[in-house]
Amino acid sequence: MRARLISFDCDADGQIIANHLDDGGLVCDNGRISQLMSAADYAAQGFALSEIEDLRPCIIFPGFVDTHLHMPQLGIIASYSAQLLDWLERYAFPAESAYADSAYAALQAQTFLDRVVASGTTCAQVFTTVYAHSCEHLFAAAQAKGMALVAGKVMMDRNAPEALTQEAQACIRDCEQLIHKWHGKDRLQYALTPRFAITSTDAQLALCGELLQGHADLLLQTHLSENHEEIAEVGRLFPKANDYLDVYENHGLNTAQATFAHGIHLSESERQRLIDAGAKVAFCPSSNLFLGSGLLDMAALRAHNLSIASDVGGGTGLSMLHTCAEGYKVAQLQNQRFHPLQAFYAITAGNAKTLGLAAQIGQLQPGFMADLVVLNPTKPSGLGERFHRCEDLTEELFALMMLSDDRSVERCYIAGRLAYGATG
Ligand code: GUN
Ligand code: ZN
């Protein structure tokens, strides 16, 4: 393919670099990028440019990576309510209960992944539901797409509707079976998924910790310090814990394998302990604004510990560009900066690193998997008009981040195969 090619890297000093070919040629072979060079070099090597498909003015980026979202919440995006705990009761839990029906869960898994890919996201870390079959269906759908996916079944043994809770030992047995069947298969990885401290007993978190410690390559995803009411409830349920993170720490869950969604209201000590452990925080700006959870102090968390995520359905859209636009506004409200290079690095190579996939995805380099998103900067029309006035790459990236979303996604490729959009 011939197009503008843009990807991002981070040097040893934490400086973000854009690798940009204004007119580039990209060739895929066997699921990976095999060649990447300027169109001029391509022609100089004797290749006929007329034989490769010309996608200009489209831009090819590495497919976007979302480090935190909920499969069963796609249909309840933008549900009107009070803050987190009310929203969970009124919308999230009922939506998740519907997944007791395996046929429904299978259909929804397919729809969910189709929508994720149509938004430009080619890799994600996903909460399914308490029902093991919902996780099975999602893994099977991702496998059929050849997609890199991290997922886990939700672990809850209290403070949720009875249909969504499961005795701790039985839950661990389900997790072990899923790990055995799916973890490390093709491009799939398992993440242990205790929902948050409120819905797990100490006994469940202890079993989760044992399982995590027994499998160095497993991932863990949960929620942390998102909402004031939630934090107060954690204090009541775990009176011996020094703070919210301590609840997880006590069971060995604060590790480099973990992604903690939100982490808005952390103390300095909690932040430092997360950084020391190499754990990641998933910044979910769209969700944090929608649920009124608060403004994450991005500057206080070192770049390598911070990923960015849609948190659908608390977040109001799957697009990682929309997510970055909301992140920019969260930063502005605190007089902080979220530079477009930082944002694009975060949704590509940065988030890939969070999921342990930095050597495989997130960059346009020979040898990397050909997970690609093709963005059309002339769509929607508002973006097109702004884009024409941009004077450099930074301005262009900023316009894309603020004005683009899934409407600009022309195509997506997963492992070199067209997974969304049309050719020709
Ligand atoms: N905390 C516990 N569960 C959830 C959830 O489903 N969404 C969000 N945003 N926060 C949570
Ligand atoms: Zn979440």
Side-chain angles (χ1 to χ4, degrees):
M1 289 177 285
R2 182 176 181 181
R4 277 181 84 181
L5 306 175
I6 310 180
S7 68
F8 307 88
D9 205 350
C10 186
D11 70 14
D13 303 325
Q15 207 62 30
I16 293 162
I17 306 145
N19 296 311
H20 177 204
L21 286 175
D22 206 28
D23 181 6
L26 183 145
V27 181
C28 305
D29 186 30
N30 216 6
R32 292 179 188 273
I33 298 168
S34 57
Q35 288 191 61
L36 182 125
M37 63 186 84
S38 71
D41 285 350
Y42 213 78
Q45 290 193 8
F47 293 103
L49 281 175
S50 57
E51 281 175 19
I52 60 174
E53 190 184 12
D54 193 349
L55 297 179
R56 292 174 300 165
C58 287
I59 308 169
I60 300 180
F61 290 99
F64 301 141
V65 182
D66 189 347
T67 59
H68 178 79
L69 77 166
H70 299 253
M71 171 174 76
Q73 295 177 8
L74 191 60
I76 54 149
I77 279 185
S79 292
Y80 184 84
S81 80
Q83 294 191 345
L84 174 68
L85 300 180
D86 180 57
W87 178 84
L88 284 175
E89 292 274 336
R90 287 174 61 181
Y91 300 107
F93 289 157
E96 293 178 27
S97 301
Y99 283 69
D101 178 344
S102 178
Y104 172 79
L107 213 66
Q108 291 303 114
Q110 193 64 54
T111 305
F112 172 75
L113 279 192
D114 287 346
R115 295 269 313 276
V116 165
V117 174
S119 76
T121 295
T122 52
C123 172
Q125 177 165 245
V126 184
F127 270 56
T128 62
T129 73
V130 71
Y131 307 109
H133 60 239
S134 70
C135 197
E136 290 266 354
H137 291 312
L138 185 66
F139 276 136
Q143 189 180 40
K145 283 192 184 315
M147 191 172 174
L149 186 94
V150 184
K153 92 173 208 78
V154 173
M155 308 169 79
M156 294 197 278
D157 68 345
R158 65 166 162 176
N159 296 326
E162 204 179 325
L164 293 178
T165 59
Q166 186 183 24
E167 187 276 319
Q169 286 283 1
C171 177
I172 285 292
R173 280 197 295 277
D174 277 359
C175 294
E176 284 172 334
Q177 280 179 9
L178 286 165
I179 292 163
H180 182 71
K181 183 164 175 193
W182 296 103
H183 184 60
K185 196 161 194 191
D186 296 334
R187 304 181 71 192
L188 309 174
Q189 289 179 270
Y190 195 82
L192 289 167
T193 308
R195 182 180 212 113
F196 64 162
I198 291 179
T199 46
S200 286
T201 59
D202 261 317
Q204 178 161 69
L205 296 175
L207 287 170
C208 183
E210 278 171 31
L211 195 51
L212 189 67
Q213 278 145 35
H215 290 78
D217 59 342
L218 271 185
L219 298 170
L220 174 99
Q221 53 177 350
T222 188
H223 297 90
L224 171 69
S225 217
E226 175 180 5
N227 165 286
H228 291 299
E229 257 186 277
E230 169 209 13
I231 296 163
E233 186 60 19
V234 171
R236 280 190 287 275
L237 290 167
F238 298 90
K240 292 198 187 120
N242 293 324
D243 52 36
Y244 196 156
L245 183 61
D246 195 37
V247 174
Y248 296 137
E249 242 163 8
N250 277 331
H251 299 295
L253 303 181
N254 180 23
T255 76
Q257 294 147 281
T259 303
F260 293 100
H262 309 295
I264 301 170
H265 309 290
L266 297 172
S267 66
E268 199 41 57
S269 155
E270 287 177 297
R271 271 190 208 110
Q272 195 54 52
R273 279 143 54 209
L274 285 167
I275 290 169
D276 292 346
K280 284 82 177 183
V281 170
F283 172 37
C284 307
S286 160
S287 167
N288 297 162
L289 294 171
F290 177 72
L291 290 171
S293 304
L295 306 175
L296 182 88
D297 183 351
M298 293 168 76
L301 280 154
R302 284 193 209 143
H304 69 268
N305 273 58
L306 198 62
S307 71
I308 185 160
S310 71
D311 191 30
V312 157
T316 51
L318 287 168
S319 166
M320 292 308 290
L321 296 165
H322 165 72
T323 303
C324 287
E326 298 296 272
Y328 179 80
K329 294 168 198 167
V330 167
Q332 282 288 54
L333 284 166
Q334 301 172 92
N335 200 18
Q336 293 183 3
R337 305 279 82 82
F338 189 32
H339 191 279
L341 278 180
Q342 254 182 306
F344 273 85
Y345 171 76
I347 62 176
T348 55
N351 279 358
K353 190 171 166 198
T354 292
L355 301 181
L357 296 171
Q360 288 142 56
I361 58 168
Q363 293 199 45
L364 303 182
Q365 299 269 3
F368 275 64
M369 293 300 293
D371 291 354
L372 312 169
V373 55
V374 181
L375 288 188
N376 187 339
T378 68
K379 287 186 195 168
S381 57
L383 170 65
E385 284 158 27
R386 177 70 188 87
F387 207 76
H388 275 122
R389 291 170 185 268
C390 291
E391 291 186 352
D392 59 25
L393 180 64
T394 301
E395 281 193 16
E396 288 178 328
L397 293 173
F398 189 57
L400 279 171
M401 142 182 175
M402 298 310 294
L403 299 173
S404 173
D405 53 31
D406 43 348
R407 289 169 299 173
S408 312
V409 176
E410 205 68 60
R411 295 182 191 174
C412 265
Y413 289 86
I414 292 178
R417 263 182 25 210
L418 187 72
Y420 170 74
T423 53

PDB file of all heavy atoms in Angstrom, residues 70 73 84 87-88 92 96 195-196 223 226 230 262 287 291 311 314, ligand 1:
ATOM      1  N   HIS A  70     -15.340  -2.775  28.611  1.00  0.00           N
ATOM      2  CA  HIS A  70     -16.249  -3.840  29.060  1.00  0.00           C
ATOM      3  C   HIS A  70     -17.120  -4.304  27.897  1.00  0.00           C
ATOM      4  O   HIS A  70     -17.957  -3.525  27.405  1.00  0.00           O
ATOM      5  CB  HIS A  70     -17.162  -3.314  30.164  1.00  0.00           C
ATOM      6  CG  HIS A  70     -16.432  -2.851  31.391  1.00  0.00           C
ATOM      7  ND1 HIS A  70     -16.434  -3.564  32.568  1.00  0.00           N
ATOM      8  CD2 HIS A  70     -15.684  -1.738  31.628  1.00  0.00           C
ATOM      9  CE1 HIS A  70     -15.721  -2.914  33.481  1.00  0.00           C
ATOM     10  NE2 HIS A  70     -15.247  -1.804  32.938  1.00  0.00           N
ATOM     11  N   GLN A  73     -21.034  -3.843  28.109  1.00  0.00           N
ATOM     12  CA  GLN A  73     -21.550  -2.483  28.327  1.00  0.00           C
ATOM     13  C   GLN A  73     -21.692  -1.671  27.038  1.00  0.00           C
ATOM     14  O   GLN A  73     -22.062  -0.499  27.085  1.00  0.00           O
ATOM     15  CB  GLN A  73     -20.664  -1.749  29.336  1.00  0.00           C
ATOM     16  CG  GLN A  73     -20.700  -2.379  30.719  1.00  0.00           C
ATOM     17  CD  GLN A  73     -19.764  -1.717  31.717  1.00  0.00           C
ATOM     18  OE1 GLN A  73     -19.178  -0.681  31.432  1.00  0.00           O
ATOM     19  NE2 GLN A  73     -19.624  -2.318  32.886  1.00  0.00           N
ATOM     20  N   LEU A  84     -21.021   6.552  39.739  1.00  0.00           N
ATOM     21  CA  LEU A  84     -20.628   5.155  39.491  1.00  0.00           C
ATOM     22  C   LEU A  84     -21.536   4.078  40.105  1.00  0.00           C
ATOM     23  O   LEU A  84     -22.034   3.206  39.384  1.00  0.00           O
ATOM     24  CB  LEU A  84     -19.179   4.945  39.973  1.00  0.00           C
ATOM     25  CG  LEU A  84     -18.681   3.497  39.903  1.00  0.00           C
ATOM     26  CD1 LEU A  84     -18.537   3.036  38.463  1.00  0.00           C
ATOM     27  CD2 LEU A  84     -17.347   3.346  40.630  1.00  0.00           C
ATOM     28  N   TRP A  87     -24.983   3.911  38.688  1.00  0.00           N
ATOM     29  CA  TRP A  87     -24.910   3.503  37.273  1.00  0.00           C
ATOM     30  C   TRP A  87     -24.670   1.986  37.156  1.00  0.00           C
ATOM     31  O   TRP A  87     -25.280   1.312  36.317  1.00  0.00           O
ATOM     32  CB  TRP A  87     -23.793   4.310  36.602  1.00  0.00           C
ATOM     33  CG  TRP A  87     -23.535   3.993  35.171  1.00  0.00           C
ATOM     34  CD1 TRP A  87     -24.197   4.485  34.082  1.00  0.00           C
ATOM     35  CD2 TRP A  87     -22.526   3.107  34.664  1.00  0.00           C
ATOM     36  NE1 TRP A  87     -23.666   3.959  32.930  1.00  0.00           N
ATOM     37  CE2 TRP A  87     -22.649   3.121  33.253  1.00  0.00           C
ATOM     38  CE3 TRP A  87     -21.539   2.309  35.249  1.00  0.00           C
ATOM     39  CZ2 TRP A  87     -21.820   2.366  32.431  1.00  0.00           C
ATOM     40  CZ3 TRP A  87     -20.711   1.564  34.426  1.00  0.00           C
ATOM     41  CH2 TRP A  87     -20.850   1.588  33.043  1.00  0.00           C
ATOM     42  N   LEU A  88     -23.806   1.479  38.034  1.00  0.00           N
ATOM     43  CA  LEU A  88     -23.556   0.021  38.016  1.00  0.00           C
ATOM     44  C   LEU A  88     -24.849  -0.739  38.308  1.00  0.00           C
ATOM     45  O   LEU A  88     -25.191  -1.687  37.602  1.00  0.00           O
ATOM     46  CB  LEU A  88     -22.502  -0.364  39.067  1.00  0.00           C
ATOM     47  CG  LEU A  88     -21.039  -0.045  38.744  1.00  0.00           C
ATOM     48  CD1 LEU A  88     -20.149  -0.370  39.945  1.00  0.00           C
ATOM     49  CD2 LEU A  88     -20.556  -0.823  37.517  1.00  0.00           C
ATOM     50  N   ALA A  92     -25.252  -1.341  34.416  1.00  0.00           N
ATOM     51  CA  ALA A  92     -24.187  -2.303  34.102  1.00  0.00           C
ATOM     52  C   ALA A  92     -24.583  -3.708  34.548  1.00  0.00           C
ATOM     53  O   ALA A  92     -24.473  -4.669  33.764  1.00  0.00           O
ATOM     54  CB  ALA A  92     -22.874  -1.874  34.754  1.00  0.00           C
ATOM     55  N   GLU A  96     -25.174  -7.046  32.181  1.00  0.00           N
ATOM     56  CA  GLU A  96     -24.298  -8.213  32.301  1.00  0.00           C
ATOM     57  C   GLU A  96     -25.105  -9.482  32.576  1.00  0.00           C
ATOM     58  O   GLU A  96     -24.728 -10.571  32.132  1.00  0.00           O
ATOM     59  CB  GLU A  96     -23.233  -7.941  33.375  1.00  0.00           C
ATOM     60  CG  GLU A  96     -22.301  -6.817  32.888  1.00  0.00           C
ATOM     61  CD  GLU A  96     -21.205  -6.388  33.857  1.00  0.00           C
ATOM     62  OE1 GLU A  96     -20.775  -7.192  34.693  1.00  0.00           O
ATOM     63  OE2 GLU A  96     -20.783  -5.230  33.750  1.00  0.00           O
ATOM     64  N   ARG A 195     -13.555  -7.641  39.764  1.00  0.00           N
ATOM     65  CA  ARG A 195     -14.145  -6.369  39.273  1.00  0.00           C
ATOM     66  C   ARG A 195     -13.583  -5.164  40.013  1.00  0.00           C
ATOM     67  O   ARG A 195     -13.025  -4.265  39.418  1.00  0.00           O
ATOM     68  CB  ARG A 195     -15.657  -6.415  39.439  1.00  0.00           C
ATOM     69  CG  ARG A 195     -16.282  -5.167  38.901  1.00  0.00           C
ATOM     70  CD  ARG A 195     -17.761  -5.097  38.999  1.00  0.00           C
ATOM     71  NE  ARG A 195     -18.202  -4.331  37.854  1.00  0.00           N
ATOM     72  CZ  ARG A 195     -18.913  -4.798  36.852  1.00  0.00           C
ATOM     73  NH1 ARG A 195     -19.373  -6.028  36.869  1.00  0.00           N
ATOM     74  NH2 ARG A 195     -19.212  -4.029  35.836  1.00  0.00           N
ATOM     75  N   PHE A 196     -13.768  -5.140  41.323  1.00  0.00           N
ATOM     76  CA  PHE A 196     -13.137  -4.142  42.210  1.00  0.00           C
ATOM     77  C   PHE A 196     -13.326  -4.636  43.628  1.00  0.00           C
ATOM     78  O   PHE A 196     -14.015  -5.641  43.869  1.00  0.00           O
ATOM     79  CB  PHE A 196     -13.620  -2.714  41.971  1.00  0.00           C
ATOM     80  CG  PHE A 196     -15.064  -2.345  42.225  1.00  0.00           C
ATOM     81  CD1 PHE A 196     -15.423  -1.001  42.376  1.00  0.00           C
ATOM     82  CD2 PHE A 196     -16.078  -3.298  42.296  1.00  0.00           C
ATOM     83  CE1 PHE A 196     -16.732  -0.620  42.582  1.00  0.00           C
ATOM     84  CE2 PHE A 196     -17.406  -2.921  42.501  1.00  0.00           C
ATOM     85  CZ  PHE A 196     -17.724  -1.588  42.647  1.00  0.00           C
ATOM     86  N   HIS A 223     -10.375  -2.388  38.927  1.00  0.00           N
ATOM     87  CA  HIS A 223     -10.616  -0.948  39.076  1.00  0.00           C
ATOM     88  C   HIS A 223     -10.032  -0.482  40.407  1.00  0.00           C
ATOM     89  O   HIS A 223     -10.002  -1.240  41.372  1.00  0.00           O
ATOM     90  CB  HIS A 223     -12.114  -0.648  39.060  1.00  0.00           C
ATOM     91  CG  HIS A 223     -12.798  -0.995  37.769  1.00  0.00           C
ATOM     92  ND1 HIS A 223     -13.357  -2.231  37.524  1.00  0.00           N
ATOM     93  CD2 HIS A 223     -13.000  -0.263  36.647  1.00  0.00           C
ATOM     94  CE1 HIS A 223     -13.884  -2.237  36.306  1.00  0.00           C
ATOM     95  NE2 HIS A 223     -13.683  -1.060  35.743  1.00  0.00           N
ATOM     96  N   GLU A 226     -11.758   5.183  41.862  1.00  0.00           N
ATOM     97  CA  GLU A 226     -12.410   5.913  40.767  1.00  0.00           C
ATOM     98  C   GLU A 226     -13.345   7.000  41.289  1.00  0.00           C
ATOM     99  O   GLU A 226     -13.462   8.067  40.679  1.00  0.00           O
ATOM    100  CB  GLU A 226     -13.191   4.889  39.922  1.00  0.00           C
ATOM    101  CG  GLU A 226     -14.044   5.454  38.800  1.00  0.00           C
ATOM    102  CD  GLU A 226     -14.770   4.365  38.015  1.00  0.00           C
ATOM    103  OE1 GLU A 226     -14.681   3.182  38.415  1.00  0.00           O
ATOM    104  OE2 GLU A 226     -15.424   4.710  37.024  1.00  0.00           O
ATOM    105  N   GLU A 230     -17.285   5.074  46.270  1.00  0.00           N
ATOM    106  CA  GLU A 230     -16.661   3.750  46.139  1.00  0.00           C
ATOM    107  C   GLU A 230     -15.520   3.607  47.155  1.00  0.00           C
ATOM    108  O   GLU A 230     -15.418   2.602  47.870  1.00  0.00           O
ATOM    109  CB  GLU A 230     -16.106   3.605  44.708  1.00  0.00           C
ATOM    110  CG  GLU A 230     -15.203   2.399  44.468  1.00  0.00           C
ATOM    111  CD  GLU A 230     -14.156   2.636  43.369  1.00  0.00           C
ATOM    112  OE1 GLU A 230     -13.944   3.792  42.951  1.00  0.00           O
ATOM    113  OE2 GLU A 230     -13.521   1.648  42.948  1.00  0.00           O
ATOM    114  N   HIS A 262      -8.579   3.699  36.189  1.00  0.00           N
ATOM    115  CA  HIS A 262      -8.919   4.978  36.837  1.00  0.00           C
ATOM    116  C   HIS A 262      -7.827   5.525  37.749  1.00  0.00           C
ATOM    117  O   HIS A 262      -7.094   6.396  37.329  1.00  0.00           O
ATOM    118  CB  HIS A 262     -10.278   4.912  37.547  1.00  0.00           C
ATOM    119  CG  HIS A 262     -11.348   4.383  36.645  1.00  0.00           C
ATOM    120  ND1 HIS A 262     -11.749   5.068  35.527  1.00  0.00           N
ATOM    121  CD2 HIS A 262     -12.037   3.203  36.642  1.00  0.00           C
ATOM    122  CE1 HIS A 262     -12.661   4.348  34.890  1.00  0.00           C
ATOM    123  NE2 HIS A 262     -12.851   3.221  35.535  1.00  0.00           N
ATOM    124  N   SER A 287     -14.890   8.229  30.368  1.00  0.00           N
ATOM    125  CA  SER A 287     -15.680   7.665  31.467  1.00  0.00           C
ATOM    126  C   SER A 287     -15.623   8.568  32.698  1.00  0.00           C
ATOM    127  O   SER A 287     -16.635   8.810  33.359  1.00  0.00           O
ATOM    128  CB  SER A 287     -15.120   6.278  31.801  1.00  0.00           C
ATOM    129  OG  SER A 287     -15.623   5.805  33.011  1.00  0.00           O
ATOM    130  N   LEU A 291     -19.129   9.896  34.112  1.00  0.00           N
ATOM    131  CA  LEU A 291     -19.629   9.462  35.423  1.00  0.00           C
ATOM    132  C   LEU A 291     -19.305  10.479  36.530  1.00  0.00           C
ATOM    133  O   LEU A 291     -19.608  10.242  37.696  1.00  0.00           O
ATOM    134  CB  LEU A 291     -19.055   8.084  35.787  1.00  0.00           C
ATOM    135  CG  LEU A 291     -19.592   6.901  34.958  1.00  0.00           C
ATOM    136  CD1 LEU A 291     -18.806   5.622  35.252  1.00  0.00           C
ATOM    137  CD2 LEU A 291     -21.078   6.666  35.217  1.00  0.00           C
ATOM    138  N   ASP A 311     -12.842   2.658  28.464  1.00  0.00           N
ATOM    139  CA  ASP A 311     -13.759   2.227  29.526  1.00  0.00           C
ATOM    140  C   ASP A 311     -15.219   2.234  29.072  1.00  0.00           C
ATOM    141  O   ASP A 311     -16.116   2.564  29.847  1.00  0.00           O
ATOM    142  CB  ASP A 311     -13.596   3.061  30.808  1.00  0.00           C
ATOM    143  CG  ASP A 311     -14.346   2.437  31.992  1.00  0.00           C
ATOM    144  OD1 ASP A 311     -14.481   1.208  32.019  1.00  0.00           O
ATOM    145  OD2 ASP A 311     -14.810   3.199  32.870  1.00  0.00           O
ATOM    146  N   GLY A 314     -18.783   3.018  30.604  1.00  0.00           N
ATOM    147  CA  GLY A 314     -18.688   4.269  31.342  1.00  0.00           C
ATOM    148  C   GLY A 314     -18.210   5.345  30.375  1.00  0.00           C
ATOM    149  O   GLY A 314     -18.693   6.470  30.376  1.00  0.00           O
TER     150      GLY A 314
HETATM  151  N1  GUN B   1     -15.939  -0.176  38.947  1.00  0.00           N
HETATM  152  C1  GUN B   1     -16.406  -1.439  39.094  1.00  0.00           C
HETATM  153  N2  GUN B   1     -17.036  -1.868  38.006  1.00  0.00           N
HETATM  154  C2  GUN B   1     -16.981  -0.873  37.111  1.00  0.00           C
HETATM  155  C3  GUN B   1     -17.474  -0.718  35.783  1.00  0.00           C
HETATM  156  O1  GUN B   1     -18.085  -1.603  35.197  1.00  0.00           O
HETATM  157  N3  GUN B   1     -17.219   0.482  35.192  1.00  0.00           N
HETATM  158  C4  GUN B   1     -16.535   1.472  35.805  1.00  0.00           C
HETATM  159  N4  GUN B   1     -16.320   2.614  35.179  1.00  0.00           N
HETATM  160  N5  GUN B   1     -16.069   1.347  37.048  1.00  0.00           N
HETATM  161  C5  GUN B   1     -16.292   0.199  37.701  1.00  0.00           C
END
